[in-house]
Amino acid sequence: MSDASPASARDALAEGLARVLGTPVENLVRLSGGASRETWSFSAGGRRLILQRQRSGDVRDMGVEANVLRAAHAAGVRVPELLASGTADSPIGSSFMVLSHVDGETIARKILRDDTFARAREVLVGDLAAALARLHSIDPSSITGLPATDQVAQYRTTLDDLNASLDQAHPTFELAFRWLEANRPESARRSLVHGDFRLGNVMVGPDGLRAVLDWELAHVGDPMEDLGWLCVRAWRFGSASPVAGVGTYDQLASAYERESGLSIDLDVVRWWEVLGTLKWGIMCMIQTSSHLLGLARSHELAAIGRRVCENEYDLFLALDGRWQGLGVK
Amino acid sequence: MSELHDVPSAAQLIEAVREWLERDVLTSTTGRVQFHTRVAINVLAMVERELELGADQRATHAARLADLGVADDHELARAIREGRLDDRLGEVVAAVHASVVEKLKVANPGYFESR
């Protein structure tokens, strides 16, 4: 495969897809490639479809994500329809999913600024809250293989490993961990959590939310994690509105309460927002470490290391006036 | 201070490369290469700021750490984690905040005004 030209690799992929779907495949085009997976667009049987697959050699399985998509679809969450999925021993050669194409925009800055989305911006906080309420109503035990790791413990370990390999120390992150541990919310209800619910990972049309995408970080946890992540400053993309750059905390809470019938404690949402801000700072460290450790040499990844202090600054903003939990006047 | 090296200074050399990227490369590229040019311009501007502010910032940072009785950020991070500075947490929060503001002045000064 490695010595195949891009054209013949694409032909081989088209042939594999045709065998999986039992119908000829046309217009196969590579859309994007993240670090671990590729997205392709194509048409078959008169429909526009999307292929997502792990990079060849990446052993990770999309099976759990496929299970999550099926459950979300069944619960009435707007998601792309899953038409096929399989493992590395399929004709696709790596773990994959075939999904229906959904029209719309994922680029946050366009959604937040273009006139096309003026109407969408008015309804989006309500649409996002309703989608969350609905996906949180799914019984997580009905989905096979869903991970259930403690987020604080997981990111504590990740930060320790990164600090060791990069010879770094972050007093701000240590303060944030102390605050998180001292103010951890009472054990809440456990649900399916999307894990990366924000602009960029949802398809938006001029009329509002069209589909919830990118379920690869789905897990079992406190549903308020998704609400807090949606409020992290990085996901406002420069907008003044705290919730996804389109709404207020009160709008988020009331729309979620209306849809779910459950009441929300915004202090718990803010706790998850603090953890989310810390997580994004750690993720910036992961990206710069992949450059520094030579996994992917890139000045773009290198520069992200200097964005860690943006997250530190955001942590001070988020915790301003709330250090009492640590005994600080 | 007497300099071994001739002009241009390191800062002036970086400035010259950044200006070339802005003037010639940005305008003659599109898409991915243009985006990566923009990233490169930002990186060089950051290095220019660090060359300008870095020495003073290092001195004030060292003084802040000395006030807290720690040698470096590693020791401060450990002390926070182990609760050894809990009786001075107000001072610690203020000092760490001040350091973050200094880092951001170099990394992305526009961030203070953005939301």
Side-chain angles (χ1 to χ4, degrees):
Chain A
M1 212 40 196
S2 60
D3 59 351
S5 69
S8 66
R10 196 181 59 222
D11 289 347
L13 180 57
E15 203 182 299
L17 269 172
R19 281 175 58 198
V20 165
L21 298 170
T23 175
V25 161
E26 292 177 312
N27 304 323
L28 181 63
V29 181
R30 170 96 173 259
L31 293 181
S32 69
S36 62
R37 52 171 60 185
E38 298 170 356
T39 302
W40 298 73
S41 149
F42 65 100
S43 48
R47 290 184 74 179
R48 291 175 69 189
L49 301 172
I50 296 290
L51 166 72
Q52 287 199 310
R53 69 164 180 174
Q54 294 298 133
R55 289 240 163 130
S56 62
D58 194 316
V59 295
R60 269 178 295 182
D61 185 2
M62 288 179 162
V64 177
E65 191 176 348
N67 293 342
V68 173
L69 268 171
R70 273 188 215 99
H73 183 72
V77 183
R78 289 179 191 175
V79 289
E81 185 188 346
L82 179 72
L83 294 146
S85 64
T87 55
D89 55 16
S90 68
I92 304 297
S94 58
S95 186
F96 74 94
M97 297 188 295
V98 174
L99 305 160
S100 63
H101 168 92
V102 180
D103 262 328
E105 183 60 72
T106 58
I107 298 171
R109 289 182 188 279
K110 291 189 181 171
I111 295 165
L112 291 175
R113 286 167 185 75
D114 285 6
D115 290 343
T116 321
F117 301 102
R119 166 75 189 139
R121 285 193 289 274
E122 286 174 23
V123 299
L124 204 48
V125 66
D127 285 2
L128 294 169
L132 281 177
R134 195 161 283 204
L135 81 90
H136 292 159
S137 73
I138 297 168
D139 174 9
S141 67
S142 69
I143 302 166
T144 312
L146 214 52
T149 36
D150 180 77
Q151 293 279 298
V152 175
Q154 181 187 338
Y155 280 90
R156 179 73 259 181
T157 306
T158 306
L159 178 62
D160 287 344
D161 292 348
L162 282 164
N163 277 340
S165 66
L166 302 177
D167 190 26
Q168 286 272 288
H170 292 276
T172 306
F173 291 168
E174 298 306 329
L175 284 169
F177 270 118
R178 288 285 308 275
W179 186 89
L180 287 165
E181 282 154 10
N183 295 279
R184 195 188 264 267
E186 295 292 311
S187 181
R189 91 189 146 105
R190 309 270 287 167
S191 77
L192 170 66
V193 174
H194 179 281
D196 199 6
F197 192 89
R198 59 176 175 86
L199 294 196
N201 291 338
V202 292
M203 190 63 82
V204 175
D207 48 348
L209 179 67
R210 291 264 175 87
V212 181
L213 313 172
D214 296 303
W215 294 75
E216 67 180 299
L217 296 177
H219 58 270
V220 183
D222 181 343
M224 294 304 107
E225 179 189 335
D226 278 332
L227 277 71
W229 186 241
L230 192 59
C231 300
V232 168
R233 193 172 178 227
W235 311 139
R236 302 172 197 170
F237 298 94
S239 160
S241 303
V243 182
V246 292
T248 65
Y249 290 102
D250 287 338
Q251 284 176 319
L252 173 68
S254 59
Y256 188 93
E257 286 173 348
R258 201 163 45 241
E259 185 72 21
S260 67
L262 301 166
S263 69
I264 281 195
D265 181 350
L266 277 176
D267 282 342
V268 176
V269 175
R270 297 298 298 271
W271 186 89
W272 283 103
E273 180 187 330
V274 170
L275 176 57
T277 306
L278 173 60
K279 271 170 65 173
W280 178 231
I282 293 169
M283 288 174 183
C284 289
M285 289 177 69
I286 293 172
Q287 299 201 46
T288 211
S289 77
S290 66
H291 165 80
L292 290 170
L293 305 179
L295 305 172
R297 296 289 293 176
S298 145
H299 72 297
E300 184 189 2
L301 291 173
I304 291 173
R306 292 295 187 101
R307 294 193 62 183
V308 172
C309 63
E310 294 177 7
N311 299 282
E312 294 179 322
Y313 185 77
D314 292 347
L315 281 168
F316 277 102
L317 286 183
L319 289 170
D320 188 29
R322 298 200 289 152
W323 288 106
Q324 309 87 330
L326 284 181
V328 177
K329 303 281 178 303
Chain B
M1 188 166 54
S2 66
E3 280 288 347
L4 166 66
H5 298 287
D6 299 324
V7 289
S9 67
Q12 288 169 326
L13 288 168
I14 287 171
E15 180 185 35
V17 177
R18 175 177 55 79
E19 287 174 353
W20 168 72
L21 288 172
E22 287 171 343
R23 193 179 53 232
D24 293 353
V25 183
L26 204 54
T27 50
S28 59
T29 51
T30 55
R32 211 170 154 71
V33 177
Q34 189 185 53
F35 170 72
H36 280 140
T37 304
R38 208 164 266 133
V39 174
I41 289 165
N42 289 338
V43 166
L44 294 184
M46 190 191 306
V47 176
E48 289 176 68
R49 288 190 295 272
E50 184 165 329
L51 287 169
E52 186 197 338
L53 304 172
D56 284 350
Q57 287 184 327
R58 255 189 304 281
T60 27
H61 186 55
R64 268 195 297 268
L65 292 168
D67 279 347
L68 294 171
V70 294
D72 54 25
D73 273 339
H74 287 77
E75 199 181 332
L76 177 56
R78 262 195 314 277
I80 293 169
R81 188 169 180 174
E82 292 164 6
R84 278 186 280 122
L85 284 167
D86 278 8
D87 54 339
R88 299 175 70 186
L89 263 173
E91 282 173 80
V92 171
V93 168
V96 176
H97 181 250
S99 299
V100 168
V101 168
E102 292 302 318
K103 287 201 278 185
L104 203 46
K105 277 182 193 166
V106 164
N108 183 6
Y111 200 73
F112 295 112
E113 282 79 50
S114 73
R115 302 214 184 232

